[in-house]
Amino acid sequence: MTDSNVYNALRASPLAKELDDGQCRTLAALMSLRSLADGEVLVREGATDSHLYLLVAGSAAVTRGAGTPEAMTLFSLSPGEAIGEMSFLDGNVHYASVVAQGPGRVLVLDRAQLESLLDSQPHIVYRIMRAIVRRVHQAQHRLSAQAVELQNYIYKQHGRY
């Protein structure tokens, strides 16, 4: 893909919300745009990965036990959502797989590429970290809301579910 495609995809994403055009171009130069095929596993449960992915087009499913009879989709991701942000930051294994649901595209950023900006462009690194933290807060909010809904359901069913 061309540099302008990467820049345009990044510019339209929540990841670049706080970046000015020059900072966005600097970061885009470190990223790549990757196409996904239907059913392609982008992130594998139990594996480590030093990449942050940003879904640009298509959708993906966060799935436990992908490829097994016990596979369970936890939730779906839509364009603009980050993938693998926690493993990107802490290097731990992924708790679930991410599988493309139809053809799609993702922006890819390697941790080492972002870290290469620490000395020369610390504001870019800081703003990307803020965007990742915002994403984690959104996920935590969604989980909290789901926990409340589940508690209400169990309560209304008098513990029978």
Side-chain angles (χ1 to χ4, degrees):
M1 301 288 164
T2 67
D3 289 343
S4 65
N5 287 344
V6 174
Y7 170 80
N8 291 334
L10 178 60
R11 182 82 259 164
S13 77
L15 196 64
K17 179 179 179 180
E18 295 183 10
L19 300 178
D20 63 33
D21 281 339
Q23 292 169 329
C24 191
R25 288 188 192 288
T26 298
L27 185 60
L30 302 177
M31 300 178 83
S32 61
L33 197 55
R34 176 176 158 190
S35 294
L36 300 174
D38 183 27
E40 182 176 343
V41 177
L42 179 64
V43 168
R44 190 160 307 279
E45 180 178 348
T48 58
D49 189 353
S50 64
H51 296 93
L52 174 68
Y53 303 96
L54 188 65
L55 191 58
V56 174
S59 64
V62 177
T63 306
R64 294 291 306 242
T68 69
E70 297 83 27
M72 179 175 62
T73 296
L74 304 174
F75 57 93
S76 292
L77 299 169
S78 55
E81 294 194 75
I83 300 168
E85 63 275 11
M86 295 305 293
S87 292
F88 175 75
L89 292 177
D90 66 15
N92 283 329
V93 299
H94 293 284
Y95 76 95
S97 295
V98 177
V99 182
Q101 295 179 312
R105 290 186 312 167
V106 291
L107 277 173
V108 183
L109 176 63
D110 185 85
R111 183 185 319 120
Q113 294 284 64
L114 183 63
E115 289 173 350
S116 74
L117 296 176
L118 278 170
D119 292 330
S120 63
Q121 297 283 340
H123 285 64
I124 294 175
V125 177
Y126 174 72
R127 289 179 176 132
I128 295 306
M129 290 298 145
R130 282 175 49 108
I132 291 171
V133 168
R134 268 195 303 276
R135 164 72 172 121
V136 171
H137 276 235
Q138 290 169 347
Q140 180 61 44
H141 184 266
R142 182 179 63 226
L143 289 171
S144 295
Q146 289 172 343
V148 168
E149 287 178 32
L150 181 58
Q151 287 174 335
N152 288 338
Y153 175 78
I154 291 171
Y155 176 76
K156 288 177 184 176
Q157 297 297 318
H158 306 290
R160 298 181 311 269
Y161 60 95

